[in-house]
């Protein structure tokens, strides 16, 4: 019966991140620097809110868009942190993580043959959804611009088929973020174009040196902003995301969300409300620790002679594989596991423009980083 399946689904593959992780996960003594989630526990007061919700039998469906109290809290969060203005009654949708928000957005705005412009390298979660809609992902090479997806790079790829551009900042895998000036330039150019902007801002609370800026402040009418609590409050498994969009767009996305999941988990919504009220600044402590780890890893990589961009947000380094190593990124990562029992993510998992690099996560303890980086340094010696 396989021949009857949707060809768009048959043509996509499992994420390169998952594929590689599954291959090496059973290696004894492995130091994993692949993890894409915080290593901190969910704050206790948030967990307690979830427990209380269970005990209070808050276990039924909520409004499709999420409880109004949570939507109000999310709206306040977006306003307080980033200066965004969204009506909680009609312009905020609580989703099953940022992943579902991306899915329902693409399923609402894309049609067969339309194009989506994305920076490369990029997190692999966008392209499969685009392709399942029969749309075409158009990757733009950002390697020569320090991974910055600037207007000058975007403009040559705009066609009459362009339906959307994706701004995934702070970036997974590069840690790069766009400045206010760069965002204003993009907003000014797209103001008169019938093109959506999808801004995935899931790492917005984890920025270093400067606060996050959102394209929604400059071009609200065409922007769909995605955020959530997975990274900011270490709540990956709670699966709570937020979608912010103008009412005339959000009302249609809500229909797709309704038929997809009905509503987000009711227990998790109560925990999320606690996170965005009593825990509004829970990310601060984690961010300070990430910044210290970032500085340590950056100094270590430089001492090894490895080329990388210093992350401005998130918790990843995207590191160039030395020219002296005659292996593609997947084989390099496999060899590193085999020889030194350290796992990193091959750059090829992040589009063809990630080839020649590897992603290293610093969402792990200082001790783990020290041990892992020490093993990488020893491994590099055999190629010198």
């Amino acid at each position: 019966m396989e021949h009857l399946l949707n060809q768009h689904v048959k043509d996509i593959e499992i994420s390169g991140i998952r594929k590689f992780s599954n291959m090496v996960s059973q290696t004894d003594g492995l130091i994993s620097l692949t993890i894409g989630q915080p290593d901190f526990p969910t704050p206790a007061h948030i967990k307690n809110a979830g427990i209380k919700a269970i005990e209070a039998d808050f276990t039924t469906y909520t409004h499709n868009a999420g409880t109004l109290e949570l939507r109000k809290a999310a709206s306040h969060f977006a306003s307080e942190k980033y200066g965004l203005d969204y009506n909680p009654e009609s312009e905020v949708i609580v989703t099953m993580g940022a992943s579902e928000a991306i899915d329902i957005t693409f399923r609402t705005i894309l049609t067969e043959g339309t194009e989506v412009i994305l920076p490369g390298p990029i997190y692999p979660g966008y392209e499969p959804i685009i392709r399942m809609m029969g749309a075409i992902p158009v990757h733009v090479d950002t390697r020569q611009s320090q991974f910055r997806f600037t207007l000058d790079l975007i403009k040559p790829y705009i066609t009459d088929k362009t339906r959307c551009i994706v701004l995934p900042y702070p970036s997974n895998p590069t840690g790069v973020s766009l400045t206010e000036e760069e965002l204003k330039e993009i907003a000014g150019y797209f103001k008169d174009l019938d093109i959506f902007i999808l801004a995935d801002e899931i790492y917005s609370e984890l920025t270093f040196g400067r606060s996050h800026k959102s394209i929604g402040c400059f071009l609200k009418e065409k922007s769909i902003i995605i955020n959530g609590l997975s990274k900011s409050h270490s709540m990956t498994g709670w699966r709570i995301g937020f979608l912010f969009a103008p009412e005339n767009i959000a009302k249609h996305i809500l229909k797709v969300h309704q038929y997809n999941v009905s509503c987000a988990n009711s227990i998790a919504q109560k925990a999320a409300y606690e996170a965005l009220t009593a825990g509004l600044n829970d990310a601060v402590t984690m961010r300070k620790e990430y910044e210290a780890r970032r500085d340590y890893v950056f100094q270590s990589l430089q001492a090894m002679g490895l080329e990388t961009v210093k992350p401005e947000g998130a918790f990843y380094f995207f590191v160039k594989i030395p020219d002296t190593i005659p292996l593609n990124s997947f084989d390099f990562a496999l060899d590193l596991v085999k020889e030194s029992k350290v796992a990193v993510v091959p750059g090829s998992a992040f589009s063809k423009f990630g080839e020649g690099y590897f992603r290293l996560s610093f969402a792990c303890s200082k001790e783990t980083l020290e041990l892992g980086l020490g093993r990488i340094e020893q491994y590099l010696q055999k190629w010198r």
Side-chain angles (χ1 to χ4, degrees):
M1 299 297 286
E2 185 180 3
H3 67 285
L4 299 178
L5 299 180
N6 185 327
Q7 189 61 46
H8 291 317
V9 175
K10 289 169 67 176
D11 287 343
I12 65 173
E13 297 183 1
I14 296 295
S15 159
I17 302 174
R18 293 290 182 184
K19 181 179 178 181
F20 182 79
S21 296
N22 292 341
M23 287 181 65
V24 303
S25 61
Q26 301 303 313
T27 304
D28 290 336
L30 183 70
I31 296 294
S32 178
L33 302 180
T34 65
I35 189 127
Q37 65 178 347
D39 61 314
F40 299 95
T42 301
H45 69 103
I46 298 174
K47 291 188 287 188
N48 288 334
I51 293 169
K52 289 178 181 178
I54 294 172
E55 292 175 340
D57 290 325
F58 191 70
T59 55
T60 59
Y61 294 123
T62 70
H63 188 288
N64 293 130
T67 64
L68 184 56
E69 69 170 7
L70 179 53
R71 283 180 280 143
K72 286 181 176 179
S75 176
H76 174 74
F77 166 80
S79 174
E80 181 79 8
K81 294 287 187 175
Y82 313 121
L84 296 169
D85 180 21
Y86 289 95
N87 184 339
E89 296 190 1
S90 58
E91 297 183 323
V92 180
I93 302 172
V94 182
T95 63
M96 294 291 284
S99 296
E100 194 230 342
I102 294 167
D103 176 61
I104 60 177
T105 295
F106 282 147
R107 288 207 278 157
T108 302
I109 68 175
L110 298 182
T111 54
E112 193 87 21
T114 54
E115 296 177 348
V116 179
I117 302 176
L118 315 94
I122 189 172
Y123 171 69
Y126 309 100
E127 180 175 344
I129 304 171
I130 295 167
R131 291 196 181 280
M132 281 191 285
M133 292 305 303
I136 303 165
V138 179
H139 289 95
V140 176
D141 187 355
T142 63
R143 290 173 296 182
Q144 301 306 312
S145 62
Q146 298 282 286
F147 304 121
R148 311 192 76 79
F149 194 38
T150 60
L151 179 61
D152 287 343
L153 287 180
I154 296 169
K155 285 197 294 187
Y157 293 88
I158 296 173
T159 72
D160 58 0
K161 294 182 180 179
T162 303
R163 181 64 54 83
C164 178
I165 67 166
V166 176
L167 299 180
Y169 295 105
S171 165
N172 171 10
T174 68
V176 167
S177 199
L178 298 185
T179 65
E180 182 173 348
E181 291 71 27
E182 288 168 333
L183 290 170
K184 283 181 176 178
E185 189 174 34
I186 292 171
Y189 186 81
F190 280 85
K191 191 176 190 310
D192 298 320
L193 299 179
D194 288 334
I195 297 173
F196 292 102
I197 296 175
L198 187 156
D200 183 352
E201 303 181 355
I202 191 67
Y203 292 97
S204 62
E205 282 294 275
L206 303 180
T207 58
F208 313 121
R210 57 184 170 85
S211 298
H212 173 73
K213 296 294 181 183
S214 175
I215 190 76
C217 291
F218 314 118
L219 193 61
K220 175 182 175 179
E221 63 272 20
K222 295 180 180 178
S223 298
I224 299 160
I225 310 298
I226 291 171
N227 213 312
L229 301 178
S230 290
K231 316 302 181 181
S232 61
H233 290 74
S234 195
M235 293 177 67
T236 51
W238 295 81
R239 307 312 301 136
I240 290 292
F242 303 110
L243 186 150
F244 303 93
E247 181 177 359
N248 65 334
I249 299 172
K251 67 181 181 181
H252 297 293
I253 297 177
L254 180 60
K255 291 184 286 188
V256 181
H257 169 73
Q258 172 193 345
Y259 290 115
N260 191 22
V261 298
S262 294
C263 64
N265 179 292
S266 60
I267 304 303
Q269 287 191 58
K270 281 293 187 182
Y273 176 75
E274 173 74 12
L276 292 184
T277 51
L280 187 64
N281 294 309
D282 278 354
V284 173
T285 301
M286 289 184 272
R287 182 170 64 234
K288 289 179 180 178
E289 176 61 24
Y290 286 134
E291 187 166 10
R293 295 176 189 175
R294 177 202 64 163
D295 293 343
Y296 167 73
V297 174
F298 185 63
Q299 292 170 2
S300 299
L301 294 174
Q302 283 193 311
M304 294 181 213
L306 293 173
E307 181 183 329
T308 189
V309 173
K310 191 174 186 180
E312 300 164 307
F315 36 65
Y316 309 105
F317 278 89
F318 205 57
V319 187
K320 191 175 186 303
I321 298 170
D323 293 336
T324 56
I325 300 179
L327 300 173
N328 63 37
S329 62
F330 196 88
D331 289 341
F332 165 83
L334 280 178
D335 194 53
L336 183 61
V337 170
K338 178 183 176 182
E339 297 290 331
S340 301
K341 294 192 174 183
V342 180
V344 295
V345 181
S348 57
F350 305 97
S351 85
K352 66 180 181 180
F353 296 121
E355 183 53 69
Y357 293 80
F358 66 88
R359 191 191 76 177
L360 182 155
S361 169
F362 52 93
C364 47
S365 69
K366 181 77 174 296
E367 293 73 24
T368 298
L369 289 170
E370 289 176 350
L371 184 57
L373 289 166
R375 291 184 182 184
I376 290 173
E377 185 173 21
Q378 290 179 342
Y379 172 81
L380 293 175
Q381 296 303 317
K382 82 171 192 175
W383 297 103
R384 288 176 176 160

